[in-house]
Amino acid sequence: MADRAGQVAVIFVSQRNGVDAAGYAEAAAAMEARAAAQPGYRGIDSARGPDEFGITVSWWADEAAALAWRADAEHAAIREAGRACWYDQYEVAVAEVVRNYEWVRP
Amino acid sequence: MADRAGQVAVIFVSQRNGVDAAGYAEAAAAMEARAAAQPGYRGIDSARGPDEFGITVSWWADEAAALAWRADAEHAAIREAGRACWYDQYEVAVAEVVRNYEWVRP
């Protein structure tokens, strides 16, 4: 397991509206791939239920890496598309990891 | 929107195994209700996809409140049931919120 102490978690909580499912899925996959290529990227976890409520956590080495990803031009363009088309509401929280632990079935 | 700066986010990332769906759902609902009654509770967000991969973020006023929830006896008992039955793997990260923002469709 990655020791995430000191990493920055960007917690994205969103309500999709169901509009343009194909375009959304394509953009989401492209953004995951683009995030993974950024300096300081430390992983991404994402889940969305049948009610279209979803949570994505991206993990970054530090605050500078998280801010650089926020400023990325393609990411900014996709955010605009998200507000124009795909989301009814979202919340972003940026948080510094204090500790983490993992359990895996033996 | 709640200003979450200074709050503590407990990020629970889990892979369910599909075993005992009814028992799991009942326990999850009971734990959400019990968390909501704890001092320092500031909300919970949860999403799980059809692949049974899920993320739950519980929000707490401070580290002491998050630790108290971790130590809660019923919560601990449910964690044991989770390891015995419901999860293949999970990761918990505790993180202090630096800032947050929200967008709502106008």
Side-chain angles (χ1 to χ4, degrees):
Chain A
M1 179 196 69
D3 177 6
R4 298 200 183 280
Q7 289 187 12
V8 169
V10 178
I11 305 165
F12 179 72
V13 178
S14 63
Q15 182 64 58
R16 276 268 291 132
N17 53 18
V19 170
D20 184 28
Y24 168 77
E26 188 179 335
M31 278 308 98
E32 285 209 15
R34 189 169 177 85
Q38 303 301 306
Y41 171 85
R42 293 292 181 268
I44 197 162
D45 293 307
S46 195
R48 186 172 303 279
D51 57 355
E52 298 283 5
F53 185 83
I55 302 176
T56 296
V57 183
S58 59
W59 307 91
W60 300 92
D62 52 31
E63 175 82 10
L67 287 171
W69 172 237
R70 185 183 180 180
D72 176 79
E74 287 194 28
H75 186 197
I78 289 290
R79 275 201 304 274
E80 283 202 33
R83 288 190 290 260
C85 300
W86 301 319
Y87 295 113
D88 281 346
Q89 184 166 358
Y90 62 74
E91 180 178 346
V92 180
V94 179
E96 188 175 325
V97 178
V98 180
R99 62 184 176 276
N100 72 312
Y101 46 94
E102 185 183 49
W103 176 83
V104 180
R105 182 168 295 283
Chain B
M1 179 196 69
D3 177 4
R4 298 201 183 279
Q7 289 186 11
V8 169
V10 178
I11 306 166
F12 180 73
V13 178
S14 64
Q15 181 63 57
R16 276 268 290 132
N17 53 18
V19 171
D20 183 28
Y24 169 77
E26 188 180 335
M31 279 307 99
E32 285 209 15
R34 188 168 177 86
Q38 302 302 307
Y41 172 85
R42 293 293 182 269
I44 198 163
D45 293 307
S46 196
R48 187 172 302 278
D51 57 356
E52 298 282 6
F53 185 82
I55 302 177
T56 297
V57 182
S58 59
W59 308 90
W60 300 92
D62 51 31
E63 175 82 9
L67 287 172
W69 172 235
R70 186 183 179 179
D72 176 80
E74 287 194 31
H75 186 198
I78 288 290
R79 275 202 303 275
E80 282 201 35
R83 288 189 290 260
C85 300
W86 302 319
Y87 295 113
D88 281 346
Q89 183 167 357
Y90 62 73
E91 181 179 345
V92 180
V94 179
E96 186 174 327
V97 178
V98 180
R99 62 184 175 277
N100 71 312
Y101 47 93
E102 186 182 50
W103 176 83
V104 179
R105 184 168 295 282

PDB file of all heavy atoms in Angstrom, chain A residues 74-102:
ATOM      1  N   GLU A  74      -6.424  21.578 -20.550  1.00  0.00           N
ATOM      2  CA  GLU A  74      -7.427  20.609 -21.015  1.00  0.00           C
ATOM      3  C   GLU A  74      -8.397  20.244 -19.893  1.00  0.00           C
ATOM      4  O   GLU A  74      -9.592  20.046 -20.115  1.00  0.00           O
ATOM      5  CB  GLU A  74      -6.747  19.347 -21.562  1.00  0.00           C
ATOM      6  CG  GLU A  74      -6.086  19.591 -22.911  1.00  0.00           C
ATOM      7  CD  GLU A  74      -5.714  18.291 -23.627  1.00  0.00           C
ATOM      8  OE1 GLU A  74      -6.373  17.265 -23.411  1.00  0.00           O
ATOM      9  OE2 GLU A  74      -4.728  18.316 -24.385  1.00  0.00           O
ATOM     10  N   HIS A  75      -7.851  20.185 -18.691  1.00  0.00           N
ATOM     11  CA  HIS A  75      -8.705  19.907 -17.534  1.00  0.00           C
ATOM     12  C   HIS A  75      -9.723  21.038 -17.345  1.00  0.00           C
ATOM     13  O   HIS A  75     -10.912  20.805 -17.085  1.00  0.00           O
ATOM     14  CB  HIS A  75      -7.822  19.731 -16.284  1.00  0.00           C
ATOM     15  CG  HIS A  75      -8.556  19.309 -15.054  1.00  0.00           C
ATOM     16  ND1 HIS A  75      -8.010  19.425 -13.800  1.00  0.00           N
ATOM     17  CD2 HIS A  75      -9.787  18.777 -14.881  1.00  0.00           C
ATOM     18  CE1 HIS A  75      -8.882  18.981 -12.905  1.00  0.00           C
ATOM     19  NE2 HIS A  75      -9.960  18.580 -13.531  1.00  0.00           N
ATOM     20  N   ALA A  76      -9.266  22.265 -17.517  1.00  0.00           N
ATOM     21  CA  ALA A  76     -10.164  23.413 -17.376  1.00  0.00           C
ATOM     22  C   ALA A  76     -11.261  23.384 -18.439  1.00  0.00           C
ATOM     23  O   ALA A  76     -12.430  23.687 -18.160  1.00  0.00           O
ATOM     24  CB  ALA A  76      -9.360  24.712 -17.453  1.00  0.00           C
ATOM     25  N   ALA A  77     -10.889  22.986 -19.660  1.00  0.00           N
ATOM     26  CA  ALA A  77     -11.879  22.925 -20.742  1.00  0.00           C
ATOM     27  C   ALA A  77     -12.939  21.863 -20.434  1.00  0.00           C
ATOM     28  O   ALA A  77     -14.137  22.073 -20.672  1.00  0.00           O
ATOM     29  CB  ALA A  77     -11.186  22.619 -22.070  1.00  0.00           C
ATOM     30  N   ILE A  78     -12.496  20.735 -19.889  1.00  0.00           N
ATOM     31  CA  ILE A  78     -13.441  19.671 -19.558  1.00  0.00           C
ATOM     32  C   ILE A  78     -14.342  20.099 -18.403  1.00  0.00           C
ATOM     33  O   ILE A  78     -15.536  19.757 -18.359  1.00  0.00           O
ATOM     34  CB  ILE A  78     -12.668  18.370 -19.222  1.00  0.00           C
ATOM     35  CG1 ILE A  78     -12.050  17.780 -20.492  1.00  0.00           C
ATOM     36  CG2 ILE A  78     -13.580  17.347 -18.544  1.00  0.00           C
ATOM     37  CD1 ILE A  78     -13.062  17.202 -21.473  1.00  0.00           C
ATOM     38  N   ARG A  79     -13.783  20.863 -17.462  1.00  0.00           N
ATOM     39  CA  ARG A  79     -14.637  21.374 -16.375  1.00  0.00           C
ATOM     40  C   ARG A  79     -15.766  22.229 -16.924  1.00  0.00           C
ATOM     41  O   ARG A  79     -16.904  22.163 -16.461  1.00  0.00           O
ATOM     42  CB  ARG A  79     -13.807  22.200 -15.380  1.00  0.00           C
ATOM     43  CG  ARG A  79     -13.129  21.362 -14.317  1.00  0.00           C
ATOM     44  CD  ARG A  79     -12.769  22.211 -13.100  1.00  0.00           C
ATOM     45  NE  ARG A  79     -11.937  23.361 -13.425  1.00  0.00           N
ATOM     46  CZ  ARG A  79     -10.605  23.328 -13.518  1.00  0.00           C
ATOM     47  NH1 ARG A  79      -9.953  22.206 -13.321  1.00  0.00           N
ATOM     48  NH2 ARG A  79      -9.926  24.412 -13.809  1.00  0.00           N
ATOM     49  N   GLU A  80     -15.423  23.040 -17.930  1.00  0.00           N
ATOM     50  CA  GLU A  80     -16.479  23.878 -18.538  1.00  0.00           C
ATOM     51  C   GLU A  80     -17.552  23.023 -19.190  1.00  0.00           C
ATOM     52  O   GLU A  80     -18.738  23.309 -19.078  1.00  0.00           O
ATOM     53  CB  GLU A  80     -15.873  24.832 -19.567  1.00  0.00           C
ATOM     54  CG  GLU A  80     -15.185  26.000 -18.922  1.00  0.00           C
ATOM     55  CD  GLU A  80     -15.067  27.190 -19.879  1.00  0.00           C
ATOM     56  OE1 GLU A  80     -15.955  27.394 -20.727  1.00  0.00           O
ATOM     57  OE2 GLU A  80     -14.063  27.906 -19.764  1.00  0.00           O
ATOM     58  N   ALA A  81     -17.105  21.957 -19.881  1.00  0.00           N
ATOM     59  CA  ALA A  81     -18.083  21.044 -20.499  1.00  0.00           C
ATOM     60  C   ALA A  81     -18.938  20.385 -19.413  1.00  0.00           C
ATOM     61  O   ALA A  81     -20.143  20.183 -19.594  1.00  0.00           O
ATOM     62  CB  ALA A  81     -17.358  19.986 -21.337  1.00  0.00           C
ATOM     63  N   GLY A  82     -18.311  20.067 -18.295  1.00  0.00           N
ATOM     64  CA  GLY A  82     -19.046  19.446 -17.193  1.00  0.00           C
ATOM     65  C   GLY A  82     -20.148  20.342 -16.672  1.00  0.00           C
ATOM     66  O   GLY A  82     -21.274  19.892 -16.418  1.00  0.00           O
ATOM     67  N   ARG A  83     -19.838  21.636 -16.550  1.00  0.00           N
ATOM     68  CA  ARG A  83     -20.859  22.571 -16.067  1.00  0.00           C
ATOM     69  C   ARG A  83     -21.923  22.813 -17.138  1.00  0.00           C
ATOM     70  O   ARG A  83     -23.101  22.983 -16.835  1.00  0.00           O
ATOM     71  CB  ARG A  83     -20.203  23.884 -15.639  1.00  0.00           C
ATOM     72  CG  ARG A  83     -19.403  23.745 -14.338  1.00  0.00           C
ATOM     73  CD  ARG A  83     -18.960  25.087 -13.810  1.00  0.00           C
ATOM     74  NE  ARG A  83     -17.934  25.678 -14.651  1.00  0.00           N
ATOM     75  CZ  ARG A  83     -16.620  25.656 -14.383  1.00  0.00           C
ATOM     76  NH1 ARG A  83     -16.185  25.056 -13.292  1.00  0.00           N
ATOM     77  NH2 ARG A  83     -15.751  26.226 -15.195  1.00  0.00           N
ATOM     78  N   ALA A  84     -21.491  22.806 -18.399  1.00  0.00           N
ATOM     79  CA  ALA A  84     -22.446  23.062 -19.474  1.00  0.00           C
ATOM     80  C   ALA A  84     -23.412  21.889 -19.654  1.00  0.00           C
ATOM     81  O   ALA A  84     -24.585  22.096 -19.974  1.00  0.00           O
ATOM     82  CB  ALA A  84     -21.696  23.331 -20.779  1.00  0.00           C
ATOM     83  N   CYS A  85     -22.884  20.677 -19.482  1.00  0.00           N
ATOM     84  CA  CYS A  85     -23.662  19.490 -19.893  1.00  0.00           C
ATOM     85  C   CYS A  85     -23.939  18.466 -18.810  1.00  0.00           C
ATOM     86  O   CYS A  85     -25.059  17.980 -18.702  1.00  0.00           O
ATOM     87  CB  CYS A  85     -22.920  18.738 -21.006  1.00  0.00           C
ATOM     88  SG  CYS A  85     -22.616  19.695 -22.486  1.00  0.00           S
ATOM     89  N   TRP A  86     -22.925  18.064 -18.067  1.00  0.00           N
ATOM     90  CA  TRP A  86     -22.968  16.746 -17.416  1.00  0.00           C
ATOM     91  C   TRP A  86     -23.370  16.739 -15.959  1.00  0.00           C
ATOM     92  O   TRP A  86     -23.806  15.714 -15.448  1.00  0.00           O
ATOM     93  CB  TRP A  86     -21.597  16.063 -17.553  1.00  0.00           C
ATOM     94  CG  TRP A  86     -21.143  15.869 -18.961  1.00  0.00           C
ATOM     95  CD1 TRP A  86     -21.924  15.475 -20.013  1.00  0.00           C
ATOM     96  CD2 TRP A  86     -19.834  16.069 -19.481  1.00  0.00           C
ATOM     97  NE1 TRP A  86     -21.160  15.409 -21.154  1.00  0.00           N
ATOM     98  CE2 TRP A  86     -19.870  15.766 -20.850  1.00  0.00           C
ATOM     99  CE3 TRP A  86     -18.609  16.467 -18.914  1.00  0.00           C
ATOM    100  CZ2 TRP A  86     -18.749  15.850 -21.672  1.00  0.00           C
ATOM    101  CZ3 TRP A  86     -17.497  16.547 -19.726  1.00  0.00           C
ATOM    102  CH2 TRP A  86     -17.561  16.245 -21.093  1.00  0.00           C
ATOM    103  N   TYR A  87     -23.142  17.854 -15.279  1.00  0.00           N
ATOM    104  CA  TYR A  87     -23.372  17.844 -13.828  1.00  0.00           C
ATOM    105  C   TYR A  87     -24.534  18.750 -13.439  1.00  0.00           C
ATOM    106  O   TYR A  87     -24.721  19.823 -14.019  1.00  0.00           O
ATOM    107  CB  TYR A  87     -22.115  18.325 -13.080  1.00  0.00           C
ATOM    108  CG  TYR A  87     -20.931  17.399 -13.243  1.00  0.00           C
ATOM    109  CD1 TYR A  87     -19.800  17.815 -13.942  1.00  0.00           C
ATOM    110  CD2 TYR A  87     -20.950  16.116 -12.710  1.00  0.00           C
ATOM    111  CE1 TYR A  87     -18.703  16.966 -14.104  1.00  0.00           C
ATOM    112  CE2 TYR A  87     -19.868  15.265 -12.862  1.00  0.00           C
ATOM    113  CZ  TYR A  87     -18.748  15.694 -13.559  1.00  0.00           C
ATOM    114  OH  TYR A  87     -17.679  14.852 -13.720  1.00  0.00           O
ATOM    115  N   ASP A  88     -25.257  18.315 -12.418  1.00  0.00           N
ATOM    116  CA  ASP A  88     -26.229  19.201 -11.787  1.00  0.00           C
ATOM    117  C   ASP A  88     -25.579  19.970 -10.647  1.00  0.00           C
ATOM    118  O   ASP A  88     -25.993  21.076 -10.317  1.00  0.00           O
ATOM    119  CB  ASP A  88     -27.407  18.397 -11.232  1.00  0.00           C
ATOM    120  CG  ASP A  88     -28.385  18.017 -12.325  1.00  0.00           C
ATOM    121  OD1 ASP A  88     -28.294  18.578 -13.434  1.00  0.00           O
ATOM    122  OD2 ASP A  88     -29.234  17.154 -12.081  1.00  0.00           O
ATOM    123  N   GLN A  89     -24.576  19.337 -10.042  1.00  0.00           N
ATOM    124  CA  GLN A  89     -23.973  19.903  -8.840  1.00  0.00           C
ATOM    125  C   GLN A  89     -22.680  19.170  -8.558  1.00  0.00           C
ATOM    126  O   GLN A  89     -22.568  17.980  -8.831  1.00  0.00           O
ATOM    127  CB  GLN A  89     -24.951  19.680  -7.674  1.00  0.00           C
ATOM    128  CG  GLN A  89     -24.528  20.281  -6.362  1.00  0.00           C
ATOM    129  CD  GLN A  89     -25.686  20.314  -5.363  1.00  0.00           C
ATOM    130  OE1 GLN A  89     -26.804  19.922  -5.680  1.00  0.00           O
ATOM    131  NE2 GLN A  89     -25.407  20.773  -4.164  1.00  0.00           N
ATOM    132  N   TYR A  90     -21.696  19.890  -8.042  1.00  0.00           N
ATOM    133  CA  TYR A  90     -20.527  19.182  -7.528  1.00  0.00           C
ATOM    134  C   TYR A  90     -19.878  19.987  -6.416  1.00  0.00           C
ATOM    135  O   TYR A  90     -20.089  21.197  -6.290  1.00  0.00           O
ATOM    136  CB  TYR A  90     -19.523  18.835  -8.634  1.00  0.00           C
ATOM    137  CG  TYR A  90     -18.896  19.983  -9.396  1.00  0.00           C
ATOM    138  CD1 TYR A  90     -17.909  20.801  -8.815  1.00  0.00           C
ATOM    139  CD2 TYR A  90     -19.258  20.241 -10.713  1.00  0.00           C
ATOM    140  CE1 TYR A  90     -17.323  21.823  -9.523  1.00  0.00           C
ATOM    141  CE2 TYR A  90     -18.680  21.272 -11.429  1.00  0.00           C
ATOM    142  CZ  TYR A  90     -17.710  22.066 -10.830  1.00  0.00           C
ATOM    143  OH  TYR A  90     -17.129  23.098 -11.536  1.00  0.00           O
ATOM    144  N   GLU A  91     -19.102  19.270  -5.623  1.00  0.00           N
ATOM    145  CA  GLU A  91     -18.321  19.899  -4.566  1.00  0.00           C
ATOM    146  C   GLU A  91     -16.907  19.358  -4.660  1.00  0.00           C
ATOM    147  O   GLU A  91     -16.700  18.170  -4.944  1.00  0.00           O
ATOM    148  CB  GLU A  91     -18.919  19.561  -3.193  1.00  0.00           C
ATOM    149  CG  GLU A  91     -18.152  20.200  -2.048  1.00  0.00           C
ATOM    150  CD  GLU A  91     -18.753  19.930  -0.665  1.00  0.00           C
ATOM    151  OE1 GLU A  91     -19.898  19.470  -0.580  1.00  0.00           O
ATOM    152  OE2 GLU A  91     -18.024  20.179   0.322  1.00  0.00           O
ATOM    153  N   VAL A  92     -15.948  20.218  -4.466  1.00  0.00           N
ATOM    154  CA  VAL A  92     -14.551  19.818  -4.438  1.00  0.00           C
ATOM    155  C   VAL A  92     -13.984  20.184  -3.075  1.00  0.00           C
ATOM    156  O   VAL A  92     -14.184  21.308  -2.605  1.00  0.00           O
ATOM    157  CB  VAL A  92     -13.735  20.534  -5.534  1.00  0.00           C
ATOM    158  CG1 VAL A  92     -12.269  20.085  -5.488  1.00  0.00           C
ATOM    159  CG2 VAL A  92     -14.325  20.277  -6.913  1.00  0.00           C
ATOM    160  N   ALA A  93     -13.313  19.233  -2.445  1.00  0.00           N
ATOM    161  CA  ALA A  93     -12.594  19.535  -1.207  1.00  0.00           C
ATOM    162  C   ALA A  93     -11.150  19.080  -1.383  1.00  0.00           C
ATOM    163  O   ALA A  93     -10.890  17.982  -1.880  1.00  0.00           O
ATOM    164  CB  ALA A  93     -13.234  18.841  -0.007  1.00  0.00           C
ATOM    165  N   VAL A  94     -10.234  19.946  -1.005  1.00  0.00           N
ATOM    166  CA  VAL A  94      -8.806  19.644  -1.066  1.00  0.00           C
ATOM    167  C   VAL A  94      -8.343  19.408   0.364  1.00  0.00           C
ATOM    168  O   VAL A  94      -8.579  20.248   1.235  1.00  0.00           O
ATOM    169  CB  VAL A  94      -8.036  20.803  -1.708  1.00  0.00           C
ATOM    170  CG1 VAL A  94      -6.541  20.508  -1.757  1.00  0.00           C
ATOM    171  CG2 VAL A  94      -8.591  21.090  -3.109  1.00  0.00           C
ATOM    172  N   ALA A  95      -7.707  18.261   0.588  1.00  0.00           N
ATOM    173  CA  ALA A  95      -7.387  17.865   1.965  1.00  0.00           C
ATOM    174  C   ALA A  95      -6.008  17.216   2.025  1.00  0.00           C
ATOM    175  O   ALA A  95      -5.617  16.490   1.114  1.00  0.00           O
ATOM    176  CB  ALA A  95      -8.439  16.894   2.491  1.00  0.00           C
ATOM    177  N   GLU A  96      -5.307  17.495   3.107  1.00  0.00           N
ATOM    178  CA  GLU A  96      -3.972  16.919   3.280  1.00  0.00           C
ATOM    179  C   GLU A  96      -4.060  15.655   4.135  1.00  0.00           C
ATOM    180  O   GLU A  96      -4.594  15.688   5.244  1.00  0.00           O
ATOM    181  CB  GLU A  96      -3.040  17.934   3.947  1.00  0.00           C
ATOM    182  CG  GLU A  96      -1.605  17.444   3.978  1.00  0.00           C
ATOM    183  CD  GLU A  96      -0.643  18.489   4.536  1.00  0.00           C
ATOM    184  OE1 GLU A  96      -0.863  19.691   4.282  1.00  0.00           O
ATOM    185  OE2 GLU A  96       0.307  18.076   5.227  1.00  0.00           O
ATOM    186  N   VAL A  97      -3.490  14.580   3.608  1.00  0.00           N
ATOM    187  CA  VAL A  97      -3.607  13.285   4.284  1.00  0.00           C
ATOM    188  C   VAL A  97      -2.721  13.262   5.524  1.00  0.00           C
ATOM    189  O   VAL A  97      -1.534  13.602   5.484  1.00  0.00           O
ATOM    190  CB  VAL A  97      -3.224  12.132   3.339  1.00  0.00           C
ATOM    191  CG1 VAL A  97      -3.301  10.788   4.079  1.00  0.00           C
ATOM    192  CG2 VAL A  97      -4.133  12.125   2.114  1.00  0.00           C
ATOM    193  N   VAL A  98      -3.327  12.863   6.637  1.00  0.00           N
ATOM    194  CA  VAL A  98      -2.619  12.751   7.907  1.00  0.00           C
ATOM    195  C   VAL A  98      -2.073  11.338   8.076  1.00  0.00           C
ATOM    196  O   VAL A  98      -0.946  11.130   8.516  1.00  0.00           O
ATOM    197  CB  VAL A  98      -3.563  13.101   9.072  1.00  0.00           C
ATOM    198  CG1 VAL A  98      -2.851  12.983  10.411  1.00  0.00           C
ATOM    199  CG2 VAL A  98      -4.140  14.496   8.875  1.00  0.00           C
ATOM    200  N   ARG A  99      -2.899  10.359   7.727  1.00  0.00           N
ATOM    201  CA  ARG A  99      -2.487   8.951   7.835  1.00  0.00           C
ATOM    202  C   ARG A  99      -3.415   8.116   6.977  1.00  0.00           C
ATOM    203  O   ARG A  99      -4.512   8.544   6.630  1.00  0.00           O
ATOM    204  CB  ARG A  99      -2.542   8.476   9.288  1.00  0.00           C
ATOM    205  CG  ARG A  99      -3.925   8.517   9.894  1.00  0.00           C
ATOM    206  CD  ARG A  99      -3.964   8.147  11.367  1.00  0.00           C
ATOM    207  NE  ARG A  99      -5.309   8.298  11.898  1.00  0.00           N
ATOM    208  CZ  ARG A  99      -5.819   9.451  12.347  1.00  0.00           C
ATOM    209  NH1 ARG A  99      -5.076  10.554  12.327  1.00  0.00           N
ATOM    210  NH2 ARG A  99      -7.060   9.516  12.797  1.00  0.00           N
ATOM    211  N   ASN A 100      -2.967   6.911   6.646  1.00  0.00           N
ATOM    212  CA  ASN A 100      -3.830   5.979   5.913  1.00  0.00           C
ATOM    213  C   ASN A 100      -3.442   4.557   6.258  1.00  0.00           C
ATOM    214  O   ASN A 100      -2.348   4.282   6.741  1.00  0.00           O
ATOM    215  CB  ASN A 100      -3.771   6.229   4.401  1.00  0.00           C
ATOM    216  CG  ASN A 100      -2.464   5.805   3.774  1.00  0.00           C
ATOM    217  OD1 ASN A 100      -1.380   6.133   4.279  1.00  0.00           O
ATOM    218  ND2 ASN A 100      -2.531   5.078   2.678  1.00  0.00           N
ATOM    219  N   TYR A 101      -4.394   3.662   6.040  1.00  0.00           N
ATOM    220  CA  TYR A 101      -4.106   2.250   6.271  1.00  0.00           C
ATOM    221  C   TYR A 101      -5.003   1.421   5.359  1.00  0.00           C
ATOM    222  O   TYR A 101      -5.971   1.928   4.783  1.00  0.00           O
ATOM    223  CB  TYR A 101      -4.291   1.860   7.739  1.00  0.00           C
ATOM    224  CG  TYR A 101      -5.556   2.360   8.379  1.00  0.00           C
ATOM    225  CD1 TYR A 101      -6.690   1.561   8.405  1.00  0.00           C
ATOM    226  CD2 TYR A 101      -5.639   3.624   8.945  1.00  0.00           C
ATOM    227  CE1 TYR A 101      -7.867   2.008   8.989  1.00  0.00           C
ATOM    228  CE2 TYR A 101      -6.804   4.079   9.520  1.00  0.00           C
ATOM    229  CZ  TYR A 101      -7.910   3.268   9.542  1.00  0.00           C
ATOM    230  OH  TYR A 101      -9.083   3.720  10.103  1.00  0.00           O
ATOM    231  N   GLU A 102      -4.650   0.178   5.246  1.00  0.00           N
ATOM    232  CA  GLU A 102      -5.316  -0.681   4.279  1.00  0.00           C
ATOM    233  C   GLU A 102      -5.576  -2.035   4.903  1.00  0.00           C
ATOM    234  O   GLU A 102      -4.816  -2.495   5.749  1.00  0.00           O
ATOM    235  CB  GLU A 102      -4.400  -0.845   3.058  1.00  0.00           C
ATOM    236  CG  GLU A 102      -5.020  -1.613   1.920  1.00  0.00           C
ATOM    237  CD  GLU A 102      -4.040  -1.794   0.769  1.00  0.00           C
ATOM    238  OE1 GLU A 102      -2.887  -2.206   1.010  1.00  0.00           O
ATOM    239  OE2 GLU A 102      -4.426  -1.529  -0.371  1.00  0.00           O
TER     240      GLU A 102
END
